[in-house]
Amino acid sequence: MLNIIFTPRRGNSHGRSKITKTNILAAVNTWLAVCLLAAVTACANSPNSKALEESLAADPKLKQNPVVFSSPPPATAIETNSTAKLPPDFPTEIPLYPNAELIEVGGPTDPSQKNVRLRWESTDPVNSVQNFYSTEFGRRKWEIVSRPTAEGQGSLVATRDNLRVTVSLSPTQKVGGSTEFAIDYSKESPEIAASPQPNNSESSASPTASPTPSNSEKTTPTPSASSKSAQVSQLDTQIPQQLRQYVADLSQLEVLKVRSTESANLETASTLPKPNKIVTRREYARWLVAANNQIYASRQAKQIRLAVDSSEPAFSDLPKTDPDFSAIQGLAEAGVIPSSLSGETKDVKFRPDAPLTRETMIFWKVPLDSRQVLPTANIDGVKEKWGFQDASKIDSQASRAVLADFNNGDLANIRRVFGFTTLFQPKKSVTRAEAAASLWYFGVQDQGLSAKDALEAKSQPPQ
C-alpha cells in the first residue's frame, strides 16, 4: 500500500503547492500502470485464464463441417397471357376500351356463325367499362339493341350496318381488383350471326301466352319446350334466345314459308332461314294470314278469307298475277290493313318488297287481336302508357294500335317481341324472327290462342 505524506512547508506556498500536485498525479498514474501489468501477468498463468480462453474460442466442429450460406435466388417475373392479339380482320369501327388488356381470342364453335369472342381484363370497375361502351356506341351512331340492367345483369348489344357487337360484363370484380369482360362480334351480310345475351326484360325472360278459351283458370302457358326440344336444338343459333321457341312453334305449324328467289315456289323448312334478315311487307302479310288461319283452324269465323281472281286489286302495285295477291288482297278486303277499299289512306301502293317497320307490324297485327275498331290515341296517351321517349315519331294511325296493344298486358306484341324498352323506334325495320314472335299469339287476355295451343290441338287424335 502506498502512503503519501504531505508535509507543508512555509515560504512560497502558492507556487510550490501547484508543482507538488502535478508531481503527485504523475506518480499515481505510474503506480497504477505497474499494478495493472502485474495483475495481467499473474492471470496469464492461472487456470481461470485458460478456461476463459477456451470459452471464447471458435467451435472446432465448424472448422470440420463449415456451413455455407447461399444467397436467395433472384425473383422471377410472373408470366402473363399478354401474347393475345386482335384478329387481322378486326373491325376498326368497334371501340376498344383504353385501359384493358386482351387476354384471349376465341373463334366460333360453329364456322357458319362467324362469331368471334375477345376476352379482356381491366383494372377499372365494371361501371366504367359499361359507361364507356354506352357512350362510344351512341357517339359513333351505333344502334343500341339492349342494355344491362341497373344491377349489371345482361349484356350491351349494338348493331351498325351488318355488324353486331355484344359486350358481356361481369357484375362483380375479380379478386385483386380486375374486371373481365367479353366482346362478341360477327359480320355477315345481310344478317348478323351472333350469340345473343339475355335481355333486361322480365317479359322476354318468361314469354307468356293466354290459355285457351275453354280453360276457366287464369293461367299463362309458355311456349312449348319439352315436347319439341329437339326442334329447338335444330334452330339456327342466330335466332335471339328469347324468340327461339316462338319460331320453333310457328315453324312446326308450317306458316313461315319463304322463297329462296323471287320466282321460286314457297318453301317450308323445320327452321326459319336467315332469321335476322329484314322481313318484307309481303312476307309478313303472307305469314299473318297463314298464322291466323292455322291457329284458328277450328274456328272459321276468325279466319281471313283469301281473295279470288275476280277481286279488283286494292293496290296499284299488286296485280292479280302477284304470287301473294290472294293473301294481301284478303287482308285489305277484311279491313285489316289500310287500302283504297277502306278509305283510310291515300297511298294506293302496297310496296310489297319494302322492309316492314315496327309501327306497321303493330298496325296490322293488333286488329286481329282485339277484333274491334282501334281506339283513338294521341302522343301524350301513348307516352303516358308505354313511356316511349320517341312517341312523337309514331304515325298517328299506328299510334292507335300501339295504345291498344298496351291494354293486352304481358300478352302485348311489343312486350313479347322487343321486351322492355323506352324507345319504340317506330321506323326501324323488323327481322324475320321478330315478325314470327308477333304471330305466336292472337287475341286478348284470357280470350286468345297461341301457336302452342294449335300444336297441341293437332297432336290430339280426332274424335
Side-chain angles (χ1 to χ4, degrees):
M1 183 175 183
L2 177 63
N3 294 323
I4 303 175
I5 302 174
F6 296 93
T7 305
R9 297 181 64 181
R10 298 177 182 271
N12 189 6
S13 60
H14 179 71
R16 290 181 178 180
S17 68
K18 183 175 182 180
I19 296 174
T20 303
K21 290 180 180 180
T22 302
N23 294 337
I24 291 172
L25 290 175
V28 171
N29 291 335
T30 301
W31 178 254
L32 290 175
V34 172
C35 292
L36 180 60
L37 180 61
V40 171
T41 304
C43 292
N45 298 324
S46 66
N48 294 333
S49 65
K50 189 68 174 177
L52 179 62
E53 180 182 0
E54 292 177 355
S55 66
L56 297 177
D59 190 351
K61 295 181 179 180
L62 296 177
K63 296 181 180 180
Q64 300 174 1
N65 301 304
V67 179
V68 180
F69 294 94
S70 60
S71 59
T76 58
I78 299 175
E79 295 184 1
T80 58
N81 187 14
S82 58
T83 59
K85 296 181 180 180
L86 288 174
D89 58 348
F90 179 78
T92 57
E93 55 265 45
I94 299 178
L96 296 179
Y97 191 70
N99 188 28
E101 180 183 11
L102 181 62
I103 59 177
E104 185 182 3
V105 178
T109 56
D110 184 356
S112 64
Q113 296 183 39
K114 300 181 181 180
N115 185 69
V116 179
R117 162 162 286 206
L118 307 177
R119 288 182 58 240
W120 300 80
E121 188 175 46
S122 174
T123 56
D124 295 341
V126 175
N127 59 336
S128 297
V129 180
Q130 177 177 332
N131 293 337
F132 169 81
Y133 279 101
S134 297
T135 303
E136 284 299 307
F137 281 142
R139 186 177 67 85
R140 301 188 186 194
K141 308 301 182 183
W142 286 71
E143 181 180 347
I144 306 296
V145 178
S146 67
R147 300 177 184 270
T149 62
E151 294 78 16
Q153 300 292 337
S155 302
L156 178 63
V157 182
T159 60
R160 196 177 82 173
D161 298 331
N162 62 336
L163 187 63
R164 181 186 182 100
V165 176
T166 300
V167 181
S168 305
L169 302 167
S170 175
T172 57
Q173 287 184 298
K174 294 173 59 180
V175 177
S178 62
T179 298
E180 280 196 10
F181 62 96
I183 296 179
D184 293 85
Y185 70 91
S186 55
K187 192 173 185 180
E188 184 176 359
S189 179
E191 52 270 355
I192 308 302
S195 299
Q197 300 294 329
N199 196 284
N200 58 346
S201 165
E202 295 181 1
S203 59
S204 64
S206 299
T208 57
S210 173
T212 59
S214 60
N215 190 353
S216 59
E217 298 181 1
K218 294 185 178 181
T219 58
T220 54
T222 57
S224 57
S226 57
S227 60
K228 305 301 178 182
S229 58
Q231 185 79 4
V232 178
S233 64
Q234 297 174 3
L235 285 173
D236 195 324
T237 54
Q238 295 179 16
I239 301 175
Q241 183 179 2
Q242 296 87 349
L243 308 182
R244 289 179 185 175
Q245 194 59 57
Y246 298 135
V247 176
D249 290 347
L250 288 166
S251 295
Q252 285 189 312
L253 285 177
E254 299 182 350
V255 299
L256 303 180
K257 297 182 179 182
V258 297
R259 289 187 177 90
S260 57
T261 61
E262 292 185 2
S263 59
N265 295 327
L266 291 176
E267 299 177 358
T268 303
S270 59
T271 61
L272 178 62
K274 300 180 180 180
N276 290 322
K277 182 180 180 180
I278 300 303
V279 68
T280 63
R281 290 164 60 94
R282 78 160 63 245
E283 284 179 325
Y284 189 73
R286 180 198 313 144
W287 294 354
L288 181 62
V289 173
N292 178 85
N293 291 353
Q294 278 285 354
I295 290 176
Y296 286 114
S298 61
R299 304 176 67 178
Q300 295 187 8
K302 289 183 176 289
Q303 293 183 3
I304 301 295
R305 299 293 189 269
L306 298 179
V308 295
D309 294 339
S310 59
S311 299
E312 187 66 27
F315 302 100
S316 60
D317 58 347
L318 196 75
K320 298 179 181 180
T321 55
D322 190 279
D324 295 305
F325 171 79
S326 60
I328 298 173
Q329 180 75 14
L331 289 171
E333 292 181 352
V336 176
I337 60 177
S339 67
S340 59
L341 301 178
S342 60
E344 297 180 10
T345 178
K346 297 180 181 179
D347 187 1
V348 295
K349 292 185 178 182
F350 182 72
R351 293 170 288 121
D353 298 315
L356 179 75
T357 63
R358 288 185 172 187
E359 63 180 6
T360 300
M361 181 182 72
I362 300 300
F363 191 30
W364 292 0
K365 172 61 167 53
V366 170
L368 292 177
D369 291 328
S370 63
R371 306 281 170 167
Q372 58 185 6
V373 178
L374 296 175
T376 58
N378 52 43
I379 296 175
D380 293 336
V382 172
K383 190 172 184 179
E384 179 184 357
K385 293 292 186 180
W386 282 105
F388 291 148
Q389 303 176 44
D390 54 356
S392 60
K393 298 180 181 180
I394 304 175
D395 178 80
S396 58
Q397 292 295 324
S399 64
R400 300 163 56 200
V402 172
L403 183 62
D405 194 43
F406 177 84
N407 297 330
N408 218 5
D410 289 340
L411 295 171
N413 297 280
I414 294 176
R415 292 189 178 98
R416 181 169 61 256
V417 178
F418 308 117
F420 170 78
T421 179
T422 61
L423 288 174
F424 181 52
Q425 303 179 78
K427 312 302 180 185
K428 182 180 178 181
S429 300
V430 179
T431 67
R432 285 178 171 179
E434 291 171 338
S438 72
L439 302 174
W440 186 79
Y441 181 84
F442 284 82
V444 295
Q445 298 185 65
D446 303 332
Q447 298 180 18
L449 290 174
S450 68
K452 175 184 176 181
D453 299 323
L455 288 172
E456 292 177 350
K458 291 180 64 175
S459 63
Q460 295 178 357
Q463 297 179 354

